[in-house]
Amino acid sequence: MLRAIKIHWMSIIRSILIAMGVLWLPIEAYEGLNNTNLMLPFYCFLILSLIAGIIFFVVDGYFLAGFFKSRVEITGNGFDTKIFIKFDDLFSQDGWKAIGANDFFDSIVDDDLVSSKSLHGHVINTYWSNKREEWQNQIDTSLAKAPKTEVERNKGNLKRYPIGTTAIATTDNQKMLFVALGETDTGNNVTKATAESLICALRGLLQKAREVCANDPLYIPLMGSGLGRVGIKNAILVDLILVAIVEETKQSKITNAITIILPIEKKPEINLGNFSRDWN
């Protein structure tokens, strides 16, 4: 509760002021209509306002404004796929996980080709820490028929794939779809994405998911944030991800359920209630 007060202090003040107004109106009306004065001490009025304000704040957070919600469902008449947004750990989910990668699908996590702080690097270090070549072999096999171009660079893979190209790799009960999300600058190995490339990457990812998910759930992280370098607010990134999901789902069914997984630490800046209102 203390953390919620710290984050949403403006909403708390607004809730208390609303409660004061709601309590004051019937008191004033009663006194005026009955030509009498209620013997209500001011401190009692403040205490009642505080209690009512906190109650309204909680109700507002869970049912009205929605800033306390940890999970919402997006529904629509144009598709039968269940679409969810929730705060959770991506790798604790049971199903296919989407992972953004660079357009070379590099496997060397040296904070140059692939950053250890990126989701791409984290996955390789966590699930393929001693078998990096196995991951690369799975990726290469999956991309054997994908279009590509040969590029000269000092280190790393030499085959560059179009944005949206998606490869499959599995290990330790984890099933993952790696998608080329951003374009790599071969001069400094920095990978950047744009809003346009994010949509393109997601459409390619979802088309591949349609082939392999077999109605298993698909989980998509907050792609484009952090080292994805799209450079727009996280809430707008969620909207872009939803746009891609809805557009691709309307063409033909991808799988039974698709969930956008958001980092728990992003909860203070992302209000799931907004997506529920805007999209439903």
Side-chain angles (χ1 to χ4, degrees):
M1 178 60 73
L2 291 177
R3 185 169 181 268
I5 291 174
K6 182 179 180 181
I7 295 171
H8 302 291
W9 63 271
M10 290 187 66
S11 295
I12 293 177
I13 293 175
R14 178 173 59 87
S15 298
I16 293 174
L17 292 175
I18 290 174
M20 291 178 70
V22 170
L23 290 174
W24 181 258
L25 182 62
I27 292 174
E28 188 70 14
Y30 178 84
E31 290 180 339
L33 293 173
N34 291 279
N35 195 26
T36 184
N37 292 321
L38 286 177
M39 301 304 294
L40 179 66
F42 181 67
Y43 73 89
C44 290
F45 175 74
L46 289 180
I47 292 174
L48 289 173
S49 298
L50 180 62
I51 295 172
I54 291 175
I55 292 173
F56 178 75
F57 170 69
V58 173
V59 172
D60 190 33
Y62 281 106
F63 302 105
L64 301 177
F67 48 79
F68 278 162
K69 289 184 177 181
S70 295
R71 180 179 181 272
V72 295
E73 181 177 359
I74 306 300
T75 58
N77 296 325
F79 51 88
D80 59 357
T81 298
K82 295 180 179 179
I83 302 175
F84 303 96
I85 311 172
K86 70 176 183 177
F87 294 98
D88 211 335
D89 173 34
L90 175 66
F91 300 103
S92 66
Q93 313 304 313
D94 184 18
W96 288 89
K97 287 93 175 175
I99 308 295
N102 64 12
D103 51 348
F104 286 96
F105 291 92
D106 286 312
S107 60
I108 301 174
V109 184
D110 59 355
D111 291 318
D112 180 20
L113 288 177
V114 179
S115 172
S116 58
K117 296 180 180 179
S118 67
L119 195 56
H120 180 185
H122 171 75
V123 166
I124 293 178
N125 283 341
T126 302
Y127 299 101
W128 284 274
S129 58
N130 298 316
K131 42 187 178 180
R132 180 175 58 83
E133 292 182 357
E134 178 186 325
W135 179 85
Q136 191 68 68
N137 289 335
Q138 288 190 57
I139 296 297
D140 291 342
T141 300
S142 182
L143 298 177
K145 297 181 180 180
K148 61 188 75 70
T149 56
E150 293 283 341
V151 177
E152 290 289 335
R153 58 197 305 226
N154 293 328
K155 62 177 180 178
N157 297 334
L158 302 181
K159 296 175 182 178
R160 186 198 290 271
Y161 297 86
I163 301 300
T165 303
T166 304
I168 302 170
T170 61
T171 187
D172 298 333
N173 298 320
Q174 295 284 352
K175 300 181 291 186
M176 302 184 191
L177 295 167
F178 291 84
V179 57
L181 176 61
E183 184 174 345
T184 303
D185 184 336
T186 56
N188 55 19
N189 294 320
V190 172
T191 302
K192 293 183 179 180
T194 63
E196 182 180 2
S197 66
L198 173 61
I199 293 288
C200 181
L202 288 165
R203 296 293 292 267
L205 164 74
L206 294 168
Q207 290 165 13
K208 188 68 174 181
R210 185 181 289 120
E211 300 174 11
V212 303
C213 280
N215 283 333
D216 285 344
L218 171 64
Y219 297 92
I220 302 176
L222 188 60
M223 288 185 173
S225 64
L227 293 177
R229 300 185 179 91
V230 173
I232 57 180
K233 291 183 177 180
N234 289 326
I236 300 177
L237 288 177
V238 177
D239 278 324
L240 292 177
I241 296 172
L242 283 171
V243 167
I245 293 173
V246 170
E247 286 185 349
E248 197 63 37
T249 300
K250 283 184 175 181
Q251 290 191 12
S252 62
K253 185 175 181 179
I254 298 169
T255 189
N256 279 338
I258 301 175
T259 303
I260 302 173
I261 298 288
L262 305 178
I264 296 175
E265 61 269 20
K266 300 296 184 183
K267 195 169 184 179
E269 64 182 89
I270 301 178
N271 182 350
L272 296 190
N274 291 337
F275 300 109
S276 183
R277 286 188 296 274
D278 293 344
W279 286 85
N280 290 334

